[in-house]
Amino acid sequence: MKSETVIFLNPNQIILIRNLQKELCAVTYEKIPERKSIICLPILPICVKNEELKEKAKITKAEPFGIYIEENKILLKIEMRIDGKESFGRIEVCELIFKNKDSGEDFRLKSEDFSEIWEKFAPKIKKISPFRLVQMETEENENGIVWRVLKEKWEKI
């Protein structure tokens, strides 16, 4: 089992991120030439991850910065200030699953491919507050990933 501290968004922001997930999956489907070769899936739970987060961290800034792609994930970059230090967190929004990895096809999605979507959502998600600072435990088994909340406290910036 793996334990980490994350930020769970408030319910209104979770709804916005779910809508962002739906749009990103739809746009990804449109941008891939051979649509049968790739699947775009939303990632749950919706939370901000940052290696600097600790159980008693003092968070004074958490603002979405933009969409970017890392390996096979579409992420929302979060500009943060934790215990007085600037850092970046991320929300793992969607995962890209390639069905035919050995086919030799190479799909190069770029962050710019999603700039229109970001422009649409950016005004709605100006800062992440209030939120829950959560100590979360994850475990992978034959049914998938199971996660449990061990401790939580509401915070406001």
Side-chain angles (χ1 to χ4, degrees), residues 110-134:
K110 298 180 282 313
S111 301
E112 298 84 51
D113 292 331
F114 305 110
S115 58
E116 278 182 40
I117 293 174
W118 176 241
E119 288 171 18
K120 178 181 172 182
F121 280 91
K124 298 175 187 176
I125 314 172
K126 291 188 177 161
K127 78 175 181 180
I128 296 173
S129 184
F131 57 84
R132 291 184 297 157
L133 191 59
V134 173

Side-chain angles (χ1 to χ4, degrees), residues 126-143:
K126 291 188 177 161
K127 78 175 181 180
I128 296 173
S129 184
F131 57 84
R132 291 184 297 157
L133 191 59
V134 173
Q135 184 71 30
M136 182 174 79
E137 181 179 77
T138 57
E139 177 182 10
E140 198 165 335
N141 63 27
E142 65 277 352
N143 297 325

